[in-house]
Amino acid sequence: MNKLLNIFKSVGDKWGNLSKSKKVSIIVLLTGIILSSIIIGIYLNRVEYDVLFSNLEPQDSAKIIEKLKEDKIQYKIDGNSILVPKDKVEEIRLSIFSDTNLPSSIKGFELFDNNKFGVTDTEAKIMYQRALEGELARTIQGFEEIEKARVHLVLPEESVFTRDEEKARASVTIKLKGNTKLTQEQVKAIISLVSSSVKNLPKENVEVVDNNMNLLSENIFESEQNGILTSNKQHEFKKQFEMDLQNDVKNMLEKVFGKDKVTVKINADLDFDSRQITTLKYDKDSIIRSQQKIKETSNDTNSQGSGSSPIDNNMSNTIQGNNQSSTSSREEEITNYEIGQTEEKIIKAPGEIKRLSVSVVIDGNLNELEKQSIKNIVVAATGLSEERGDVINIESITFNDEFKKKIQADLEEMKKQEELIKKRKMYIMIGEAVAGLIVLFIIYLALRKKRKIEDLQIEQQNNIDVLIGDVLQKQPIAYEPVLEDMEQNMNLEKEIRNYASTKPEQVVELIKTWLAEDER
């Protein structure tokens, strides 16, 4: 115990002997070390959280939170997400999945993992339908634009008669993230996914509905089957076609006249009607397909003999006979000719060009020969046809570039302002650095001056102590000191110290005078 007290006493003595600036430096250093230790300890001991589950149904979230409370696991709730310590995410997730009751929102073919004996055919069909719906919902829900998805299937009863077989039907309900919207191509992708995953399910029997009760699959395949484009598709196709032609002509002419020296505008009249034309042509030259010849010959012989024919008993009739013969023949020829015919079916796709109107304006003054040359180039590049009624117009006009010059001047002014701001920031940084150096230098000078003053005060105090000691020693002691003399000496010493602290300059001069007298 005494050693400990001695240590504290020695430390206190050393602390008392230090100057004020050193004490401040030591205090600041110790404070910094303590704060750094506290910050490092907090950083090392802090718990980092990561997402365990997100976007679950409320009942599933409640079950998971109850499970975490039972296992005494720290957790946080951030919106629709449940957070747990990062180093235990996989372990906690596996523990929750091991419980068959969690989560229960979407289940796929894992319904058959715990298959029981004695399951009827009806129950097996229902389980298969639920599993298929769950797997499809999981797949659709995995898309970036979709937050949640549910799939309902209507599977017909199998029939031994192919003629009576019904088609399956399906409906998909999706909840989109934020203000996201699905394009027609994305809706078609969802429909194709469901149709390809279910037996005997045509695309036309799949309906897609979003969370705002919008039927996204309405007439989505009808236009393709009939070869008809919707009005939006027609407008997009027309604009894209015109833009492509304009860019081609403009890029070609700008290589001759320079950038921003040419303006091109093309208006296309397109025919979006779908037509099917069937043409049947017969050939003039016939071809013998079959030929049949029939030839018949016949010989006929007629002979007449003599005889008697009783007319009555008293008379007799005698006929004298003659021999006659005849020959006949018949020829028949049947020829079947094949008439050649050509059947031609032409299906015209929508988007045929009915008429083009092209306008080209060039900056400057061009003569008629130059205009004609440009016209020939544009006609060849765009495929204009006089028979179709296409129109082209070439004009040369001096462009008004005041607005362009103003924009250019504004841009240059903005660049100058940006450069000026950068220079000002640089000057401010340099000024701050110089000011910081000046402040540090002033602080250094102040501390140096303060240290000199403290050293001078210490030196003066030591000289005063020496002076007081000399004065006390020079006083003659004629008798033994008593209590009154001691009090008088203490009062004298106190007065001298007060005088030295209030008027140090005079004391210094007095000491110098005494020292000079001692040297003499």
Side-chain angles (χ1 to χ4, degrees), residues 472-482 485 489:
L472 294 176
Q473 289 178 1
K474 289 180 180 180
Q475 291 181 358
I477 303 174
Y479 53 88
E480 293 294 331
V482 292
D485 295 335
N489 291 334

Side-chain angles (χ1 to χ4, degrees), residues 179-215:
N179 296 324
T180 307
K181 292 184 179 180
L182 296 181
T183 62
Q184 283 194 347
E185 300 301 325
Q186 291 173 327
V187 176
K188 289 179 182 178
I190 294 174
I191 294 174
S192 299
L193 172 66
V194 177
S195 175
S196 302
S197 302
V198 181
K199 180 182 177 181
N200 198 18
L201 176 59
K203 296 180 180 179
E204 295 78 14
N205 288 5
V206 181
E207 302 292 346
V208 181
V209 183
D210 64 2
N211 53 312
N212 296 321
M213 299 181 67
N214 296 321
L215 184 59

Side-chain angles (χ1 to χ4, degrees), residues 126-245:
I126 294 174
M127 289 177 63
Y128 173 76
Q129 181 174 339
R130 287 181 57 197
L132 189 57
E133 291 174 350
E135 293 294 336
L136 288 172
R138 283 179 180 175
T139 304
I140 297 172
Q141 194 168 309
F143 297 153
E144 184 178 357
E145 295 82 0
I146 297 175
E147 182 177 342
K148 291 183 181 180
R150 293 197 67 180
V151 179
H152 300 280
L153 299 177
V154 179
L155 303 179
E157 294 290 338
E158 295 183 358
S159 176
V160 294
F161 301 102
T162 307
R163 185 181 302 174
D164 298 334
E165 188 176 7
E166 296 182 2
K167 303 293 184 181
R169 297 189 302 276
S171 62
V172 181
T173 306
I174 57 177
K175 181 180 180 182
L176 302 176
K177 294 180 180 178
N179 296 324
T180 307
K181 292 184 179 180
L182 296 181
T183 62
Q184 283 194 347
E185 300 301 325
Q186 291 173 327
V187 176
K188 289 179 182 178
I190 294 174
I191 294 174
S192 299
L193 172 66
V194 177
S195 175
S196 302
S197 302
V198 181
K199 180 182 177 181
N200 198 18
L201 176 59
K203 296 180 180 179
E204 295 78 14
N205 288 5
V206 181
E207 302 292 346
V208 181
V209 183
D210 64 2
N211 53 312
N212 296 321
M213 299 181 67
N214 296 321
L215 184 59
L216 304 180
S217 58
E218 185 177 9
N219 300 327
I220 196 168
F221 292 104
E222 183 177 353
S223 59
E224 291 184 357
Q225 293 175 353
N226 299 330
I228 301 173
L229 296 177
T230 61
S231 58
N232 292 333
K233 288 287 186 180
Q234 292 178 8
H235 183 72
E236 292 177 3
F237 183 83
K238 181 176 181 294
K239 288 296 181 184
Q240 187 63 39
F241 177 76
E242 293 174 349
M243 188 64 66
D244 291 341
L245 282 180

Side-chain angles (χ1 to χ4, degrees), residues 25-26 30 68 80 132 150 181 260 273 289 298 339 419 432 457 520:
S25 301
I26 292 173
L30 291 175
L68 295 175
N80 294 329
L132 189 57
R150 293 197 67 180
K181 292 184 179 180
D260 297 333
D273 295 335
R289 185 181 65 180
S298 62
I339 300 175
E419 292 178 357
E432 290 177 351
Q457 289 178 353
R520 292 176 184 175

